[in-house]
Amino acid sequence: MTHLELDSVKKVFGDPEKEGVVAVNDLDIDVPDGDFLVLLGPSGCGKTTTLRMIGGLEDPTEGEVRFDGTVVNDVKARNRDVAMVFQDFALYPHMTVRENLGFGLRRENNDMTGTEIDERVTEVAEMLEIEELLNNKPAQLSGGQKQRVALGRAIIREPRLFLFDEPLANLDAKLRKTMRTEIDELQSEVGITSAYVTHNQEEAMTIADKIAILNDGELQQLGTPDQVFNEPANLFVAQFVGSPDMNLFQGALSERGDSYRIEMDAASFDIPKRLVDTEIDTDEVLVGFRPQDLYQARTRATNGPEFDTQVRVVEPVGTEAIVHGTSALGDVTAKVGRFHDLEPEDQMELTIAPEHVYLFDPTTESLLKGRLVTERAEGGTSADSVEA
Amino acid sequence: MSYVDQAQSSYRSATRYIPESLRVYLPILPVMALVGLFILYPIAQAIYSSFFTKSLLAPSEAEFVGLANYVEIWADPDIHQVLWNTFVWVTVGSLAAIVLGFLMGWLLDEKLPYTSVASAIVLIPWVLPRVVGASIWQFMFGGSQGIVNELLVQMGVIDEYIVMLGANQYSLWPPIIGMVWRLAPLFALLTLTSLQGIDEHLYEAARMDGATPWEQFRYITIPMMKYNLAIGFLLMLIYNVRNFSMVWVMTKGGPGVSSSTLPVMIYRAAFIDFEVGFASALSVLLFVVLLVFSYYYIKFYDKVRGDM
Ligand SMILES: Nc1ncnc2c1ncn2[C@@H]1O[C@H](COP(=O)(O)OP(=O)(O)OP(=O)(O)O)[C@@H](O)[C@H]1O
Ligand SMILES: [Mg+2]
């Protein structure tokens, strides 16, 4: 059980005096005991580097890594009592599954007897349903089975921390979902603080207690899945989180009594000031609509903008459909419920409630107004089912 | 009809009087002939000669003596010394070359700066012509100007220059040292490539599993390299058993037979004593030893390929 803190952590590869690569910059992250942190960000943003610094495989150039308040920068990886699941599994190819699982228990800083180790190996193998594979070598396993062994090798020790580096990246979509649930259940069962790297936002939203979104080595936001979805700190987070991508339009903003008036190319609407937490003093804004917040005006009236849209493509996704259309505002994407009757070329009128509209400062790209969660009479798309 | 079909049918018609079972060997006949001529024939000739007494001075007076040459080997007053020398030479030489080579390879594996330059330098002993390398060592160990003597005196190991190459009790060792110097680089390179073939993530996984550097070496490095090490060791054995130039250049196998190994004895028998039959019998003996080593070499090689 460990409270993990990263304090102003920086990692520069190469010669810091010359032009080293800044992989991670000034990172502050606090993960309370037992929490599941997900590090999310595009490729090359420093996720793996961060994880490796927590595990002790990489030394921070600056800053502190703390476990339960104790600085561990100088503690060697093998003494940190941290288990890591590598993206490519890194199973020991010359050992059987049984030996792979037991390896960590046989080390000198672990004084278990042979029988205790065997029992523990069997227990974990049963939990992961790999008992029949115990005598196989890794080369004889499928991707999903290797995955389980890698996972087993980590959980067998009950370490202070779990680190997962894109552990599901090599699996097919179905297995990924199953394994994701398994990791989630397992972690809440054993309650060990975990850090999990992914660049899949959907995975992050499902599994995380807290998400840390990184870009170019810098922390963009640290928050719960709801927070990063509804109140993204900036445009980057707003665009990275949520699927399909947020619709963005330019707009002009003016104050009108106790409302802000937003004027876009072909629509305008008012946002009551009580829905806005920040003091807005720009007259240009970026207006964001989440596809799942758009409705057909004929099914639901709002105080928000209404705009005509011609359907271009209808993409069914499970019980819903993603509609790409051309509107007076520009290209627009909307997510509609199951009982739609839309086809290409159809005309429809889309609308969005003012509380769901996002506003960003176009120069600093920081959030001016986020999405307020309200009871929805219909549609079935609330923030809780973002991943659907 | 494709060209392949055409070629097949014209091959069939051209060879129609040859039975099907033999016809399939026809295309590899040239290779078989070459192998036969250059490999099998000399071996057969050596075995055949070993049943005769035959002098190089009067080859036509060869006389069939059955196994007499082999009996003579057994009775030879020198043979025990020579076999023992060969055994020491092969085991000590190979082990030392492996330990040293492993160390060199391990150092080359990114623990030394300028790895590529260093690997090139390390290979020099292997690349030098054998006689040149052997001469260098002969010079270094040799009589009054030998640098080795000077070094030992400087280090206080000995008080005054001693005769090394010409003394019965020492003469075997300088050639072994020379041979280790020649073979270690080869093994260093083998070590280097197999070390570099080990996925860095395995070490990281082991570190996360709490393994100390020694445990990483013991449980990751060694097992991952064991086939390469075994094959390298067998290669060293084979090289060492066959070696002739290092001993010949440095000591001519002497004084007496104090530094003679089997190949040196064969050379002496054939080209100094001109006893071709006796030399052939010795060669057959060496051949059998090599065959045993080669058998294990091939078995290991198959196992490695099977594991991959
Ligand atoms: N050992 C290294 N030497 C030099 N640069 C490195 C090293 N490791 C990582 N980098 C650089 O640091 C940056 C962050 O790399 P990192 O591996 O942490 O990214 P990531 O977020 O894990 O990306 P991905 O999603 O592709 O795995 C990259 O620009 C990368 O090129
Ligand atoms: Mg990575």
Side-chain angles (χ1 to χ4, degrees), chain A residues 52 78 88 92 94 157, chain B residues 201 204 207-209 219:
Chain A
R52 291 167 59 84
R78 72 181 139 97
D88 62 358
Y92 309 122
H94 55 291
R157 278 195 300 134
Chain B
H201 278 174
E204 294 183 344
R207 278 159 75 193
M208 299 309 290
D209 269 344
Y219 297 109

Side-chain angles (χ1 to χ4, degrees), chain A residues 198-329:
Chain A
T198 179
H199 56 238
N200 179 332
Q201 60 90 24
E202 186 192 330
E203 200 166 292
M205 297 298 261
T206 333
I207 206 168
D209 291 324
K210 286 260 186 65
I211 299 182
I213 292 160
L214 299 176
N215 188 28
D216 263 347
E218 312 250 359
L219 182 65
Q220 304 296 307
Q221 188 171 8
L222 176 65
T224 63
D226 276 359
Q227 279 168 345
V228 296
F229 185 79
N230 292 319
E231 295 160 49
N234 56 38
L235 197 59
F236 176 84
V237 176
Q239 285 178 310
F240 201 79
V241 167
S243 165
D245 287 354
M246 178 185 275
N247 298 290
L248 279 174
F249 308 103
Q250 305 213 319
L253 179 140
S254 52
E255 279 193 63
R256 271 221 182 166
D258 56 1
S259 297
Y260 290 110
R261 173 135 205 116
I262 313 286
E263 289 180 54
M264 293 185 293
D265 281 354
S268 56
F269 62 103
D270 291 326
I271 298 179
K273 277 186 174 171
R274 66 183 163 78
L275 300 182
V276 183
D277 299 331
T278 37
E279 200 63 42
I280 303 180
D281 57 1
T282 62
D283 29 352
E284 297 279 310
V285 284
L286 280 175
V287 186
F289 303 155
R290 293 259 186 224
Q292 30 295 73
D293 291 331
L294 289 168
Y295 317 100
Q296 293 193 68
R298 66 178 166 81
T299 65
R300 177 168 177 180
T302 67
N303 301 323
E306 294 181 353
F307 45 96
D308 287 325
T309 305
Q310 185 177 31
V311 177
R312 277 203 327 269
V313 180
V314 181
E315 239 179 74
V317 183
T319 59
E320 295 171 313
I322 293 167
V323 178
H324 300 279
T326 312
S327 77
L329 298 175

Side-chain angles (χ1 to χ4, degrees), chain A residues 43-44 46-49 87 165-166 197 199:
Chain A
S43 189
K47 306 180 295 290
T48 298
T49 308
Q87 178 166 357
D165 192 357
E166 310 211 25
V197 163
H199 56 238

Side-chain angles (χ1 to χ4, degrees), chain A residues 81-278:
Chain A
D81 193 14
V82 170
M84 180 155 171
V85 179
F86 291 81
Q87 178 166 357
D88 62 358
F89 311 139
L91 300 179
Y92 309 122
H94 55 291
M95 299 184 198
T96 61
V97 170
R98 186 189 304 281
E99 290 162 340
N100 264 283
L101 290 175
F103 188 77
L105 300 181
R106 288 184 201 281
R107 301 289 58 83
E108 63 180 22
N109 48 9
N110 214 318
D111 44 20
M112 288 172 82
T113 66
T115 353
E116 281 171 342
I117 291 173
D118 283 346
E119 276 168 19
R120 183 80 189 117
V121 168
T122 315
E123 198 180 320
V124 167
E126 272 167 15
M127 179 151 77
L128 295 169
E129 294 171 18
I130 47 175
E131 309 100 293
E132 311 83 47
L133 306 173
L134 279 176
N135 295 322
N136 290 13
K137 292 264 179 79
Q140 300 165 300
L141 305 180
S142 74
Q145 292 166 334
K146 282 185 194 153
Q147 177 63 63
R148 281 156 194 265
V149 178
L151 217 62
R153 199 169 58 174
I155 63 173
I156 197 161
R157 278 195 300 134
E158 301 187 359
R160 295 184 73 164
L161 286 177
F162 281 143
L163 305 178
F164 302 93
D165 192 357
E166 310 211 25
L168 308 182
N170 294 333
L171 305 183
D172 67 58
K174 186 165 174 294
L175 195 56
R176 187 154 52 213
K177 276 209 169 106
T178 328
M179 292 300 294
R180 180 206 294 165
T181 321
E182 261 173 54
I183 292 180
D184 200 6
E185 280 173 0
L186 202 113
Q187 194 270 341
S188 20
E189 210 171 289
V190 291
I192 291 173
T193 317
S194 303
Y196 183 107
V197 163
T198 179
H199 56 238
N200 179 332
Q201 60 90 24
E202 186 192 330
E203 200 166 292
M205 297 298 261
T206 333
I207 206 168
D209 291 324
K210 286 260 186 65
I211 299 182
I213 292 160
L214 299 176
N215 188 28
D216 263 347
E218 312 250 359
L219 182 65
Q220 304 296 307
Q221 188 171 8
L222 176 65
T224 63
D226 276 359
Q227 279 168 345
V228 296
F229 185 79
N230 292 319
E231 295 160 49
N234 56 38
L235 197 59
F236 176 84
V237 176
Q239 285 178 310
F240 201 79
V241 167
S243 165
D245 287 354
M246 178 185 275
N247 298 290
L248 279 174
F249 308 103
Q250 305 213 319
L253 179 140
S254 52
E255 279 193 63
R256 271 221 182 166
D258 56 1
S259 297
Y260 290 110
R261 173 135 205 116
I262 313 286
E263 289 180 54
M264 293 185 293
D265 281 354
S268 56
F269 62 103
D270 291 326
I271 298 179
K273 277 186 174 171
R274 66 183 163 78
L275 300 182
V276 183
D277 299 331
T278 37

Side-chain angles (χ1 to χ4, degrees), chain B residues 100-244:
Chain B
L100 203 74
F102 187 89
L103 221 66
M104 281 159 60
W106 183 74
L107 282 172
L108 283 176
D109 184 25
E110 291 186 76
K111 274 133 204 137
L112 275 184
Y114 309 113
T115 301
S116 52
V117 181
S119 337
I121 291 174
V122 154
L123 265 186
I124 287 176
W126 176 250
V127 179
L128 275 183
R130 291 167 202 214
V131 175
V132 173
S135 304
I136 293 173
W137 283 99
Q138 201 239 353
F139 182 69
M140 295 210 299
F141 276 102
S144 49
Q145 337 84 323
I147 193 171
V148 175
N149 259 319
E150 180 59 30
L151 275 175
L152 290 176
V153 169
Q154 298 269 340
M155 291 192 309
V157 180
I158 52 177
D159 295 332
E160 53 186 20
Y161 281 20
I162 53 174
V163 178
M164 293 178 182
L165 296 179
N168 281 334
Q169 68 269 44
Y170 303 128
S171 59
L172 184 60
W173 299 100
I176 289 185
I177 292 172
M179 199 60 193
V180 169
W181 168 83
R182 215 173 91 73
L183 288 182
L186 186 67
F187 198 72
L189 220 62
L190 196 77
T191 306
L192 181 64
T193 43
S194 40
L195 281 176
Q196 288 180 338
I198 302 176
D199 184 358
E200 190 58 33
H201 278 174
L202 295 182
Y203 291 109
E204 294 183 344
R207 278 159 75 193
M208 299 309 290
D209 269 344
T212 60
W214 164 249
E215 285 172 328
Q216 291 167 41
F217 181 74
R218 168 74 188 75
Y219 297 109
I220 310 288
T221 312
I222 293 293
M224 294 295 286
M225 289 185 63
K226 70 175 178 228
Y227 294 124
N228 280 352
L229 290 178
I231 283 183
F233 185 60
L234 279 162
L235 270 178
M236 298 292 119
L237 290 182
I238 291 171
Y239 273 125
N240 271 322
V241 172
R242 289 186 321 155
N243 175 263
F244 166 73

